[in-house]
Amino acid sequence: MTTATLLIPEQRTVLNQVSWQTFINLLNDLGNNRVIRLYYDQGVLEIMTPLGEHENNNRFIDDLVRAIADELNLNLKKMGSLTLKREELLKGAEPDSCYYLNNEPLVRHQQNINLESDPPPDLVLEIDITSSSLDKQTIYAAFEIPELWRYNGQKLEVFILDKTTQSYQKSTQSLYFPWLPLEIIPQYIRQSLRDGETATLKTFRHWVREQHHSQE
């Protein structure tokens, strides 16, 4: 077993030649009340510990997504860093945040998700400031998650799943929020650091309402 470690703002340790059972044992031993997130792809395990910048970006973008859902009256199911795994694929991931939108009615009554029988989240958010050595896109594509957001601390990138090739294609707009300019998310993150999160969220909600009314 070999290791390699990357440093702040995320601490990452990559292990090779890790069995699926070891991955499952780690999940069970660590439990649910933890900050550490695990990613597994056919024998390669990444253990990621998010630090301040990572978590602040994650939670504020999560607030922005919830504000959009509130203002547009969308039924949104937030599953946070849900453990996604499928043994037959030998793949597992714990995204920073994930959401059910189109598939929300199918899992509305559930608090636990099993990808063996339940649909995957519609949207996954990854904060990837130090660039993971593990290709998470192949994991999420195998799970058939329609949309992936990646924020690197400076810009937001959106990737849409091409079901023909089972790979992600970079897109200039969101599948679920096509009216949302991608550059607006980093702008409001920067504003939150200047004006505070509560004040910025109020401004963002007002902006969403204006965008919605202008398209009616």
Side-chain angles (χ1 to χ4, degrees):
M1 184 179 293
T2 59
T3 67
T5 303
L6 299 176
L7 299 177
I8 58 174
E10 302 116 345
Q11 292 182 336
R12 302 179 188 273
T13 300
V14 177
L15 307 176
N16 296 305
Q17 302 176 18
V18 178
S19 70
W20 176 261
Q21 190 56 53
T22 298
F23 169 58
I24 296 301
N25 290 343
L26 277 172
L27 287 173
N28 293 335
D29 290 344
L30 290 170
N32 294 323
N33 297 321
R34 57 186 164 87
V35 175
I36 292 173
R37 294 177 193 137
L38 304 181
Y39 300 84
Y40 183 87
D41 190 3
Q42 298 183 336
V44 180
L45 174 68
E46 180 180 276
I47 303 171
M48 190 273 286
T49 304
L51 300 181
E53 181 183 355
H54 183 117
E55 278 297 84
N56 181 244
N57 287 327
N58 173 39
R59 294 189 179 274
F60 191 69
I61 293 175
D62 186 64
D63 285 342
L64 296 178
V65 172
R66 182 171 61 179
I68 292 171
D70 288 346
E71 295 301 330
L72 301 187
N73 198 28
L74 301 175
N75 267 330
L76 173 76
K77 191 174 185 72
K78 300 168 60 181
M79 294 302 294
S81 185
L82 174 69
T83 300
L84 305 169
K85 63 183 188 296
R86 288 183 61 180
E87 182 176 4
E88 75 277 15
L89 300 174
L90 292 179
K91 294 181 186 293
E94 295 181 315
D96 287 296
S97 296
C98 64
Y99 311 89
Y100 282 91
L101 293 149
N102 286 358
N103 283 329
E104 185 274 337
L106 301 178
V107 297
R108 182 178 300 172
H109 63 290
Q110 297 177 218
Q111 292 186 314
N112 295 298
I113 301 296
N114 181 356
L115 291 189
E116 302 293 341
S117 54
D118 297 319
D122 295 293
L123 172 63
V124 157
L125 167 65
E126 281 288 348
I127 309 298
D128 200 5
I129 297 174
T130 57
S131 296
S132 170
S133 60
L134 192 65
D135 186 359
K136 297 173 185 175
Q137 288 194 16
T138 61
I139 300 176
Y140 293 129
F143 293 155
E144 297 186 345
I145 293 173
E147 182 167 343
L148 169 64
W149 286 12
R150 179 181 178 271
Y151 182 67
N152 67 1
Q154 299 294 327
K155 64 179 181 178
L156 178 71
E157 296 178 315
V158 169
F159 301 89
I160 306 299
L161 181 65
D162 184 336
K163 292 185 178 180
T164 303
T165 61
Q166 282 297 104
S167 63
Y168 285 102
Q169 303 298 319
K170 192 173 180 180
S171 176
T172 58
Q173 64 182 32
S174 166
L175 181 67
Y176 299 104
F177 313 119
W179 49 269
L180 181 71
L182 301 188
E183 66 274 9
I184 207 73
I185 299 296
Q187 287 177 17
Y188 276 101
I189 291 174
R190 290 192 293 270
Q191 182 176 334
S192 74
L193 297 175
R194 184 184 68 245
D195 299 339
E197 293 185 5
T198 300
T200 301
L201 284 170
K202 288 181 179 178
T203 303
F204 180 73
R205 286 177 176 273
H206 178 71
W207 179 84
V208 171
R209 286 194 295 270
E210 286 187 334
Q211 291 293 113
H212 181 60
H213 292 324
S214 67
Q215 296 180 31
E216 289 181 338

